[in-house]
Amino acid sequence: MTDPAWLDEREQRAWRGFLAVNAAVRSRIARQLQQETGLSSADYAVLVSLSEAPGGRLRVFQLRVAADWEKTRLTHQITRMTSRGLVAREPCVDDPRGAFVVLTEAGWDAITGAAPLHVAHVRRWFFDALRPEQVEALLDLNDTVLGHLREADRTMGVPCPPCDVPSSCDDVLP
Amino acid sequence: MTDPAWLDEREQRAWRGFLAVNAAVRSRIARQLQQETGLSSADYAVLVSLSEAPGGRLRVFQLRVAADWEKTRLTHQITRMTSRGLVAREPCVDDPRGAFVVLTEAGWDAITGAAPLHVAHVRRWFFDALRPEQVEALLDLNDTVLGHLREADRTMGVPCPPCDVPSSCDDVLP
DNA sequence: TCGTCATGGGTGACGTGTCACCGACACAGT
DNA sequence: ACTGTGTCGGTGACACGTCACCCATGACGA
């Protein structure tokens, strides 16, 4: 192991590049999507998660786990999207303190219109640059780091997600 | 080439993982750094860029290029950091409409205190999980994608950075 | 000399994210 | 009944990021 108090030159480059690439790709895609559809990346992520759920409906905490967001962030996001007519809140009969979020007609239109554009941007700014073995390496790196984080959460007190939810997906999709 | 209107299963996993890993690692590091030092990731990035410049001084547009930030974002960030005493603005004698940003005493203290903690977090949440060949693959991926983006900028109208600056580094450093 | 345009930098409004805190409900032990 | 404690969800204040727009300076041609 090298000196743990600092990063060596390779690690430095790898870390800064890791941040720079992600920020650059995301900002390009977010800006274009915003201009073309009026949707932010956060809007898009919520719409995708809901559109992948049966009936376009999800409990708030399911959406929270699916997107790996903080509770309050999601509450505010839903409030704003409700005021724009993209989603709607519905009370939950089983659990009086629970609530559903449902895709509206306008929400369906928004996500079906935005998804092809978003895919095109992801291709253009990301996958068009990558060779197949680089995609493979990325998959490996993702699994490794996410597994590492989950393992750390597990050995500390963090419990498993409270409910069965498809998969973790942050920010921009698909 | 596969159907350009959609992502196949591997691409989907790679892309969502790319976003999820980055968000998870960054949020963990940002939260810990905030708790321990009161510095946000944006604060830290600015402090690092300034601390790497001779005299801890940089023209505003140099800082902007170094961090690859939007102009207004940097202006607001500097204003906030100035009000907290971490940096100071100084007029530029050469260019009457220019301005310098300078690290204050408190700014030096903040960055020298925060850097070792930050490095420890980057190790813990990121490099501790990675084998050397994964770091190598990440370096390759970074260069590939950043090169792709720069190439796209070049063939379109985007000019080169207006000034010679060390290197692009977004958000959190080192 | 007078427009015109590019550059360096800033301001204000507004959307977004986070923190501290609250309310309602369920369930445990006493 | 009575008080924790945990879960599900929300509110308000404040920090952060972006957009549209402004001001000042300087280069350049008519």
Side-chain angles (χ1 to χ4, degrees):
Chain A
M1 181 77 110
T2 57
D3 178 13
W6 209 248
L7 300 178
D8 66 29
E9 187 268 345
R10 299 188 86 70
E11 291 170 327
Q12 185 101 326
R13 283 209 344 264
W15 174 248
R16 298 198 181 193
F18 177 70
L19 299 173
V21 165
N22 205 273
V25 172
R26 274 192 301 126
S27 75
R28 275 172 163 80
I29 293 175
R31 197 178 315 275
Q32 290 191 344
L33 196 70
Q34 177 82 46
Q35 288 174 350
E36 294 167 342
T37 69
L39 297 173
S40 68
S41 292
D43 297 332
Y44 188 75
V46 168
L47 293 178
V48 167
S49 291
L50 286 178
S51 72
E52 290 175 345
R57 323 165 34 84
L58 234 36
R59 285 289 297 268
V60 174
F61 73 90
Q62 291 179 309
L63 197 49
R64 195 164 61 75
V65 173
D68 194 24
W69 278 13
E70 304 224 346
K71 188 176 53 174
T72 318
R73 176 183 177 191
L74 184 54
T75 297
H76 285 310
Q77 183 70 32
I78 293 172
T79 301
R80 292 187 294 257
M81 292 178 75
T82 299
S83 75
R84 287 189 288 151
L86 294 170
V87 302
R89 281 191 226 261
E90 280 185 8
C92 177
V93 290
D94 303 339
D95 188 342
R97 70 199 195 283
F100 278 100
V101 192
V102 194
L103 229 41
T104 62
E105 199 83 23
W108 281 112
D109 292 349
I111 185 57
T112 54
L117 300 171
H118 183 262
V119 168
H121 299 149
V122 173
R123 281 212 178 285
R124 169 172 188 193
W125 298 118
F126 195 63
F127 286 109
D128 281 357
L130 297 181
R131 301 184 305 277
E133 66 268 24
Q134 291 177 308
V135 176
E136 217 61 32
L138 178 59
L139 283 165
D140 172 53
L141 188 138
N142 292 340
D143 291 344
T144 300
V145 177
L146 282 181
H148 180 72
L149 297 181
R150 271 196 287 268
E151 178 65 18
D153 287 347
R154 204 181 52 72
T155 59
M156 291 155 62
V158 183
C160 286
C163 194
D164 49 308
V165 174
S167 70
S168 166
C169 59
D170 190 282
D171 272 356
V172 193
L173 317 161
Chain B
M1 180 74 113
T2 57
D3 177 14
W6 208 248
L7 300 179
D8 66 30
E9 186 269 346
R10 297 190 88 68
E11 289 170 327
Q12 185 100 325
R13 282 208 346 263
W15 174 248
R16 298 198 181 192
F18 177 70
L19 299 174
V21 164
N22 206 273
V25 172
R26 275 191 300 125
S27 75
R28 275 171 163 80
I29 294 175
R31 197 178 316 275
Q32 290 191 344
L33 195 71
Q34 177 82 45
Q35 286 173 351
E36 293 167 344
T37 69
L39 296 173
S40 68
S41 293
D43 296 333
Y44 187 75
V46 168
L47 292 178
V48 167
S49 290
L50 286 177
S51 72
E52 290 174 346
R57 322 165 32 87
L58 234 37
R59 285 290 297 269
V60 174
F61 72 90
Q62 291 180 306
L63 197 49
R64 195 163 62 74
V65 173
D68 193 24
W69 280 10
E70 304 223 348
K71 188 176 53 174
T72 318
R73 177 183 177 188
L74 184 54
T75 297
H76 285 311
Q77 183 70 31
I78 292 170
T79 302
R80 290 187 295 257
M81 292 178 75
T82 299
S83 75
R84 286 190 289 154
L86 294 171
V87 302
R89 282 190 226 260
E90 280 184 9
C92 178
V93 290
D94 303 339
D95 187 343
R97 70 198 196 287
F100 279 101
V101 191
V102 195
L103 229 40
T104 62
E105 199 83 24
W108 281 112
D109 291 349
I111 185 58
T112 54
L117 300 172
H118 184 261
V119 168
H121 299 148
V122 173
R123 281 213 178 284
R124 168 170 189 194
W125 298 118
F126 195 62
F127 286 110
D128 281 356
L130 297 181
R131 301 184 304 276
E133 66 267 26
Q134 290 177 308
V135 176
E136 217 61 32
L138 177 60
L139 283 165
D140 171 53
L141 188 138
N142 291 342
D143 291 344
T144 300
V145 177
L146 282 180
H148 180 73
L149 296 180
R150 271 196 286 268
E151 179 65 18
D153 287 347
R154 205 182 51 73
T155 58
M156 292 153 62
V158 183
C160 285
C163 194
D164 50 307
V165 174
S167 70
S168 166
C169 59
D170 189 281
D171 273 356
V172 192
L173 315 160

